[in-house]
Amino acid sequence: MTRATARRRRTASALMALALAGGASTAALTLAAPAHADSWRDKEYWLAESGITKAWDVSRGAGVKVAVIDSGVDGRHPDLGGVLAGGADISGAGKANGQESIGAKPEHGTLVATMLAGRGHQAPEATAKPSASATGPAAGPAAGPDGVVGVAPEAQLLSVSTWLGSANPGGKSDQDQIPEAVRWAVDNGARVINISLGSTSPEWPQSWDAAFLYAEQKDVVIVAAAGNRVGGNVQVGAPATIPGVLTVAGLDRTGAASIDSSSQGISIGVAAPAEDLVGGLPGGGYADWAGTSGATPIVSGVAALIRSKWPEMSASQVINRIVTTAKDAGAPGKDPLYGFGVLNAEAALKADVPETKVNPLGSISDWIRVHRRGNLATTAPAAEPAPSSAAPTLPEATVPVAEKPSQLDSAVPAAVVLGFGALLVGIVVAAAFQLRAAMRTPPKDGPDGPDGTGKAEPEAVNPVDSSKPS
């Protein structure tokens, strides 16, 4: 097994084992039958303390779809009547509409959904009241006095069910499900995506890059849980470490960083209540619970309120509005426990915030360009980079080195020159001898001349009268 393969497997194991560690601890759940406002609605202290009830003066989330990537949402819960606008199962093990509760913590998705966009309900014995549609949008916070009301009670939800935390009978791994879920949510109109899950690893599979980049390019706000110390998440893990994601840390009942229900890390953007929470359960019940899984839908709900109030506002501006209006806590400025500070929903909806085009939590696009450099290996260590398939692999450039010419290289040309010179001299000499010989050759009449004396007869004075050939 290569180091890269082993590392990929370790990453996958961390993600699978603690995929919903940002959620409720089983021991923290207190099951109960549906109850009236005095036993459940009154427990929602964060609605007032985080400025949400005052933010409702401005917006209640109408017209915004929020995707809940989780264990499935039970749309039959009385507090979720009319809330679900669609869904899908990504795991291969749930119902096609995403409304079956699945995985190691099947109740998790319904808890998250009711805190995010619950609408409460009328008690069975209560006299039916007129619909709010006569005076304004239906399903406002006052539409149902009992049960749980969410932060954005007029928003609509998309349930994207995944099987996490145990072996998936559908066969898909978490590495496959998460990017597919994100893409489905974006393609089906989600303006905000809530991911109340985490891991013990700050790294994420490279296969996730494209999906989160796709969401960024489509201007979608992604909100993720920082994870819980009690679940083993001492430091923030993926996907909350992905640049551009709004990571939510947890607060205890006093407003301080939760010891059990929050991890820490430089990617944290804002902190919200994470202890003494309440939410709905599949089948119509309720539960007390804790964890950054519950803090995350509070922040996602505020993002939905902002996107409802300002539909044209970019995702970067939405995130910037949330973090810049947060109340500073802990060390001055941004810190690894509270991020930019404690959520203040009223300020996020009412304060004057300078416009920005930059996400204060970074950009996955920029990160990919700087850190991946075309390396397509999932988690390969730096010492074993895989070649990119996006560009041809070229040999390493080398610098030519000058070498001393060999004796053979220098002797052969000289010999050729000398040979041609000698040949030329020989030709000239031979031509000279031939010329001298031609000049000494006697006439054809005889070797001694015509008279036998060896002397040539003088030419006639008058060649016209001469009878001898010339």
Side-chain angles (χ1 to χ4, degrees), residues 165-181:
S166 64
N168 176 17
K172 289 186 179 180
S173 71
D174 55 312
Q175 295 195 35
D176 295 330
Q177 293 177 74
I178 297 303
E180 185 177 345

Side-chain angles (χ1 to χ4, degrees), residues 135 188 371:
T135 56
N188 285 272
H371 295 278

Side-chain angles (χ1 to χ4, degrees), residues 48-427:
E49 293 183 11
S50 296
I52 294 165
T53 53
K54 292 183 178 179
W56 284 339
D57 296 336
V58 178
S59 171
R60 295 179 181 179
V64 176
K65 289 182 180 179
V66 182
V68 177
I69 297 177
D70 217 287
S71 63
V73 177
D74 182 6
R76 298 169 298 177
H77 193 285
D79 295 344
L80 296 175
V83 173
L84 292 179
D89 173 62
I90 303 301
S91 70
K95 291 183 178 179
N97 62 4
Q99 294 190 35
E100 180 180 3
S101 300
I102 60 176
K105 296 180 179 179
E107 75 285 347
H108 196 269
T110 304
L111 287 165
V112 168
T114 50
M115 287 192 63
L116 201 163
R119 296 177 178 178
H121 66 275
Q122 297 285 350
E125 66 274 13
T127 302
K129 297 180 180 180
S131 170
S133 60
T135 56
D146 296 316
V148 173
V149 63
V151 175
E154 293 184 5
Q156 292 184 308
L157 299 183
L158 299 172
S159 177
V160 189
S161 61
T162 56
W163 190 294
L164 302 171
S166 64
N168 176 17
K172 289 186 179 180
S173 71
D174 55 312
Q175 295 195 35
D176 295 330
Q177 293 177 74
I178 297 303
E180 185 177 345
V182 170
R183 281 185 170 274
W184 186 94
V186 174
D187 288 339
N188 285 272
R191 301 293 288 150
V192 179
I193 297 176
N194 186 97
I195 307 180
S196 289
L197 56 88
S199 71
T200 56
S201 172
E203 299 178 343
W204 61 93
Q206 189 166 336
S207 60
W208 291 13
D209 287 0
F212 283 83
L213 175 62
Y214 184 61
E216 180 176 274
Q217 292 172 338
K218 294 295 184 179
D219 198 42
V220 177
V221 175
I222 297 181
V223 186
N228 304 331
R229 289 178 184 273
V230 72
N233 297 47
V234 178
Q235 294 187 340
V236 177
T241 51
I242 296 178
V245 171
L246 177 52
T247 299
V248 183
L251 305 172
D252 63 20
R253 189 62 183 85
T254 69
S258 174
I259 296 176
D260 293 333
S261 299
S262 187
S263 58
Q264 65 182 38
I266 60 174
S267 64
I268 290 176
V270 70
E275 294 188 10
D276 297 326
L277 306 176
V278 296
L281 293 172
Y286 296 89
D288 294 301
W289 66 310
T292 52
S293 275
T296 301
I298 294 176
V299 177
S300 293
V302 174
L305 299 182
I306 296 172
R307 304 216 88 163
S308 176
K309 171 63 177 177
W310 296 285
E312 302 303 320
M313 183 174 287
S314 70
S316 294
Q317 288 178 278
V318 172
I319 293 174
N320 182 66
R321 179 168 280 273
I322 291 173
V323 300
T324 57
T325 57
K327 293 179 289 187
D328 194 22
K334 190 176 185 296
D335 66 75
L337 284 177
Y338 301 91
F340 287 90
V342 175
L343 176 70
N344 184 346
E346 180 184 14
L349 269 295
K350 296 181 179 180
D352 292 329
V353 177
E355 183 176 344
T356 181
K357 295 182 179 179
V358 178
N359 187 333
L361 299 177
S363 165
I364 183 64
S365 175
D366 293 342
W367 190 92
I368 291 172
R369 183 172 61 253
V370 172
H371 295 278
R372 294 300 190 196
R373 296 182 179 275
N375 180 6
L376 300 181
T378 300
T379 53
E384 297 180 13
S388 169
S389 62
T393 302
L394 301 177
E396 183 178 353
T398 58
V399 178
V401 179
E403 296 182 359
K404 182 179 179 180
S406 68
Q407 294 299 323
L408 181 61
D409 292 340
S410 57
V412 171
V416 172
V417 172
L418 293 176
F420 275 106
L423 179 61
L424 179 61
V425 171
I427 293 172

